[in-house]
Amino acid sequence: MHIPPEATAPPPPLDCARHAVFLDFDGTLVEIAPRPDAIVIPLDLPAQLATLSDACNGALALVSGRSLPELAGYLPGYAGLMVGSHGAEARGMAPPLDQAPNGLARLQADLAAFAATKGLLYEEKTHGGALHYRQRPDAAAEVASFAAALAAQTPGFAVQPAKMAMELRPAGVSKDRALAALWALPVFSGRIPVFLGDDTTDEPALGWAAAQGGFGIKIGDGDSCAAYRLPDPAAVQDWLANARGAQWGV
Ligand SMILES: [Mg+2]
């Protein structure tokens, strides 16, 4: 079920005593940049996440499509739960995927070569790679068909569409599966799940939170199954800063 933007409401306040908080990264906590390596991390974001995680007794996790080491590198000072590569990598729990499927090096070489030929940005990931066409939007269809063909000839990998990008990632990993794995951790026991995400890749996770008796918050425009919506990462930071039960600046 999709709820149009005009029918969605601002979310209720975050309650550190009751909620479990699951956060996407790009487009949710930080503004999307022309290049994935050009994002600007709000200065107080790592400390804010660390404070919130403490206030929630550790019931907070980042769930991103980025590689885990890259994500961790952007957030020094936040040592809590983290899932990377759409669920293939994790910090603070057993990694959902021990190693990438066979054929990773060849797949990454094919992606890099295609990007070089077409003037696209190639982003290598731990378990796959992404083709970014934000600077060449005219190449969208060509990128999609190349990615589909590459997935078809590389068993164990699947296409992951994202905002102005096509990614090849291990088949069978997804953010909602990552959430289900996190949910088994004792730290989340008895809490109400809340997931925040901005992209089509986040829709199953937004739906998962609602199915578990919690709710999703869609960031930005576009169709979503989420009951609530915030306009941008700055609004997300404000919402987090107004959490009940967090002690700031002490
Ligand atoms: Mg995102």
Side-chain angles (χ1 to χ4, degrees):
M1 181 181 68
H2 279 245
I3 301 162
E6 62 274 16
T8 51
L14 175 59
D15 183 343
C16 293
R18 298 170 62 234
H19 289 142
V21 192
F22 301 106
L23 299 157
D24 170 49
F25 183 64
D26 291 273
T28 296
L29 290 175
V30 300
E31 287 285 356
I32 290 181
R35 297 170 50 100
D37 59 357
I39 53 167
V40 176
I41 311 293
L43 278 178
D44 54 347
L45 181 61
Q48 185 181 37
L49 294 175
T51 299
L52 269 181
S53 180
D54 286 349
C56 295
N57 278 326
L60 179 147
L62 263 68
V63 184
S64 171
R66 294 234 183 207
S67 291
L68 188 63
E70 192 176 69
L71 189 61
Y74 280 126
L75 298 168
Y78 167 72
L81 290 163
M82 219 178 237
V83 168
S85 295
H86 302 284
E89 302 179 283
R91 182 178 82 183
M93 71 167 181
L97 191 73
D98 286 340
Q99 59 184 36
N102 289 332
L104 174 66
R106 173 64 188 273
L107 176 112
Q108 289 176 330
D110 286 351
L111 288 168
F114 182 80
T117 308
K118 302 293 179 183
L120 307 167
L121 177 69
Y122 169 59
E123 180 190 6
E124 190 150 298
K125 300 206 173 188
T126 312
H127 295 305
L131 296 168
H132 293 267
Y133 54 90
R134 188 171 296 277
Q135 277 144 350
R136 269 214 61 197
D138 57 303
E142 200 178 358
V143 171
S145 60
F146 176 80
L150 189 56
Q153 72 180 46
T154 317
F157 286 90
V159 175
Q160 176 73 64
K163 282 183 178 169
M164 306 303 275
M166 280 285 169
E167 180 172 344
L168 274 288
R169 55 142 175 87
V173 304
S174 64
K175 289 187 178 180
D176 56 318
R177 286 191 185 191
L179 289 184
L182 285 164
W183 200 233
L185 298 177
V187 74
F188 294 111
S189 180
R191 287 180 176 261
I192 299 164
V194 181
F195 179 82
L196 282 72
D198 70 304
D199 206 344
T200 52
T201 61
D202 297 313
E203 286 299 314
L206 291 164
W208 178 90
Q212 303 299 317
F215 56 91
I217 305 175
K218 162 81 172 178
I219 314 307
D221 296 330
D223 261 6
S224 177
C225 66
Y228 300 106
R229 196 175 286 258
L230 288 169
D232 52 34
V236 172
Q237 264 210 290
D238 285 347
W239 183 75
L240 295 174
N242 285 309
R244 289 180 183 154
Q247 301 290 314
W248 304 107
V250 290

